[in-house]
Amino acid sequence: MTAIDPEKAVEVKPNLWWIGWPDYDAGFSNNPYLLIEGDEVVLFDPGSRFDTHWGWVKKKIESIIPVSKITMVVVHHQDPDLCAAIPLVEEEIGVNNFEIVTTERTSLFIPYYGVKTEVTAVDDGESIEIGTEGRELLFITSPYLHFPGAMVTYDTKEKVLFSSDIFAGFSLDWSLYANEYYLEAMKVFSQPYLSDTRHVKNFLRKIEGLDIDMICPQHGSILQGEIIQKAIDTLRDLEVGVWE
Ligand SMILES: [Fe+2]
Ligand SMILES: [Fe+2]
């Protein structure tokens, strides 16, 4: 597998970049993504506000497009490793000069970070059209995985599932794309962080009909090809909600 330069944004699909930071010591990568379609510039799960973290993310965005061009921030739940940097995004762009999209339950917590921009709440199955070519971001709620108001996003054009903490992994041996060890890394993350098997099964039923070409989780590695089905099968049979 080709090694990537973690200091650089990596284009994983046309106009879709991984702009995250691997924390090799903790075995914990954080994976914000940037998607550009026409005039729409969408930032998924911006991340933490540590200088080192947001510093990397900002530098990577700036290597593609000025941060001020971001039009939408999608957050999949309210955890600080996704949301704490939103006020820093606001400092760059200005309050209410971009849209924040999440579920209603999550929207209640976003202001707790000091965010002043109004939050757009979306329902399960709702989509937002981006650009002018009919590309849609479809939002699918994923209750209790691992927060009641959690959701994921499906990009209808490139068939990418932005899966947040589902399909996420912990690994000291991190690679941008999932390798043969990734299912183990995914188990290590999923057992303590995903709440209950019935919620996992419910979620997997909801995504059953989707044609998924790539899964972009918020931690761990990007999945494409055969490992997608293996990961789905692994999660379906995994005992979760376990912390020993
Ligand atoms: Fe989380
Ligand atoms: Fe997370």
Side-chain angles (χ1 to χ4, degrees):
M1 183 157 308
T2 328
I4 62 135
D5 180 350
E7 293 197 29
K8 293 213 167 97
V10 180
E11 193 169 13
V12 296
K13 283 269 191 183
N15 284 322
L16 168 63
W17 285 267
W18 171 81
I19 51 169
W21 69 95
D23 184 337
Y24 290 107
D25 295 333
F28 190 57
S29 75
N30 276 260
N31 304 326
Y33 300 93
L34 190 76
L35 173 65
I36 301 179
E37 175 67 38
D39 292 337
E40 293 282 354
V41 181
V42 185
L43 172 62
F44 292 93
D45 297 335
S48 112
R49 57 182 296 127
F50 284 139
D51 286 348
T52 43
H53 296 172
W54 172 244
W56 278 51
V57 173
K58 187 178 158 190
K59 196 170 125 193
K60 289 181 181 192
I61 296 170
E62 295 280 355
S63 73
I64 303 160
I65 199 164
V67 174
S68 59
K69 298 277 184 198
I70 291 170
T71 54
M72 187 188 294
V73 171
V74 174
V75 284
H76 291 118
H77 57 282
Q78 88 291 349
D79 271 350
D81 56 333
L82 295 73
C83 295
I86 300 176
L88 303 176
V89 177
E90 246 175 1
E91 278 176 22
E92 298 283 336
I93 310 177
V95 170
N96 283 324
N97 286 340
F98 64 105
E99 197 172 12
I100 301 173
V101 176
T102 191
T103 63
E104 178 141 25
R105 274 181 191 273
T106 297
S107 72
L108 304 175
F109 291 97
I110 304 294
Y112 281 42
Y113 290 100
V115 173
K116 296 189 178 61
T117 297
E118 213 173 298
V119 182
T120 305
V122 287
D123 286 327
D124 187 29
E126 202 172 325
S127 56
I128 291 181
E129 194 171 325
I130 53 168
T132 53
E133 309 288 319
R135 184 178 201 165
E136 289 186 347
L137 297 180
L138 169 66
F139 305 105
I140 302 163
T141 56
S142 52
Y144 302 100
L145 304 176
H146 60 122
F147 172 72
M151 69 169 192
V152 301
T153 304
Y154 178 69
D155 164 27
T156 57
K157 182 176 177 186
E158 293 295 339
K159 307 184 190 316
V160 175
L161 184 70
F162 298 92
S163 65
S164 186
D165 284 345
I166 310 169
F167 302 107
F170 273 133
S171 173
L172 290 173
D173 185 25
W174 177 82
S175 59
L176 181 61
Y177 295 102
N179 57 27
E180 65 267 38
Y181 308 113
Y182 191 69
L183 296 179
E184 287 309 310
M186 195 183 75
K187 285 184 194 169
V188 174
F189 184 92
S190 305
Q191 289 198 304
Y193 278 102
L194 301 186
S195 59
D196 190 284
T197 307
R198 72 198 154 106
H199 300 311
V200 172
K201 289 193 161 115
N202 177 45
F203 171 74
L204 293 177
R205 260 196 304 275
K206 290 172 84 169
I207 63 163
E208 223 164 45
L210 296 181
D211 180 9
I212 300 172
D213 195 51
M214 178 179 276
I215 297 179
C216 290
Q218 196 226 339
H219 309 289
S221 305
I222 293 172
L223 299 92
Q224 56 184 350
E226 285 178 2
I227 199 161
I228 290 180
Q229 192 56 49
K230 285 183 188 164
I232 290 172
D233 294 340
T234 301
L235 271 194
R236 188 181 291 110
D237 295 333
L238 191 67
E239 188 190 0
V240 297
V242 179
W243 182 249
E244 290 170 4

